[in-house]
Amino acid sequence: MGDRAVDCARLESVCAARHQGFESPPIRHELGLAQRLQIGFHRGMRVGVALLFLAIANALAAQNDFSGLTNELGAAREQFARGKLDAALAILDRLDKSHRTFESLDLRGCIYLEAGKLEEATKAFEAAHGIKFEAFAPKIHLADTLLRQKKFEEAGREYEQLTSINAPMWPEYARFGLLLTYLAQHDDPLAKRAFATIPFPTETAAYYYAQAAWGFAHGEKSEPQKWINSAKKIFDASKTSWFDRALFQFGWIKKKPAPAIDPFFY
């Protein structure tokens, strides 16, 4: 660097002698590789820290949103379980403005189904299915709606598709639903085949309610009730409510079950 400064000084004296008023620009010292790397490192650190804070802020906001969504859904389910359908829908109306999810749409469909608004229920379940295709709840609830409308063949197709789902419990509900569609059509050969797919023991109350449904459909009264009573001793109400509502729909249970959060809710 010293030799370069001497050369520059000489050049400046020559230029000044030949060109009056000449002044050389200040000498710029080139930064070494280590200095450039150090500057780049500090700049990268500042950007990295800013991005980290931004990511943390976004994560906290998402967590708060999720917590709020969970609380709102929980409140709507509680109102539904109490039979306060309008209050449950009011909560979902507020929630859907910012967080329309397949869970909220599925719950909305269940509320409409409870209220007897079958077309609205169908639209809600289809919309939930559109958001999350693989979700089980909207699919079986749609089948339940078709069964309620006495569209037994259509309901049967929906239930049958669900019997092959690779899950520990859900297929048992679908097999029971399929059995009901055949019993409703008085198709005993197919009903027997469906009945045979619900062997004992089952992880759900499906076997007990299948026995009850078969008995009711064939004119029995006391024996089916024994099967129901046995199921209620083994399984809590949250595991039998869906079956109870299915039997009530056919007039086999006289007292309407209270609205209940069925096992498909999350």
Side-chain angles (χ1 to χ4, degrees), residues 131-151:
I131 290 178
K132 190 171 183 179
F133 177 81
E134 70 276 14
F136 180 82
K139 295 178 183 178
I140 196 165
H141 288 148
L142 178 59
D144 296 342
T145 306
L146 294 169
L147 188 68
R148 178 86 169 266
Q149 294 172 310
K150 297 184 179 181
K151 298 178 179 180

Side-chain angles (χ1 to χ4, degrees), residues 102-166:
F102 86 92
E103 294 101 332
S104 67
L105 286 166
D106 182 58
L107 179 56
R108 180 181 291 277
C110 289
I111 296 170
Y112 286 143
L113 184 59
E114 179 68 22
K117 299 179 179 179
L118 304 184
E119 290 186 7
E120 290 90 336
T122 299
K123 291 178 182 178
F125 294 138
E126 288 176 343
H129 176 69
I131 290 178
K132 190 171 183 179
F133 177 81
E134 70 276 14
F136 180 82
K139 295 178 183 178
I140 196 165
H141 288 148
L142 178 59
D144 296 342
T145 306
L146 294 169
L147 188 68
R148 178 86 169 266
Q149 294 172 310
K150 297 184 179 181
K151 298 178 179 180
F152 301 124
E153 291 185 6
E154 292 179 47
R157 287 194 292 271
E158 294 294 329
Y159 286 125
E160 190 167 17
Q161 289 179 7
L162 299 176
T163 59
S164 59
I165 285 181
N166 185 21

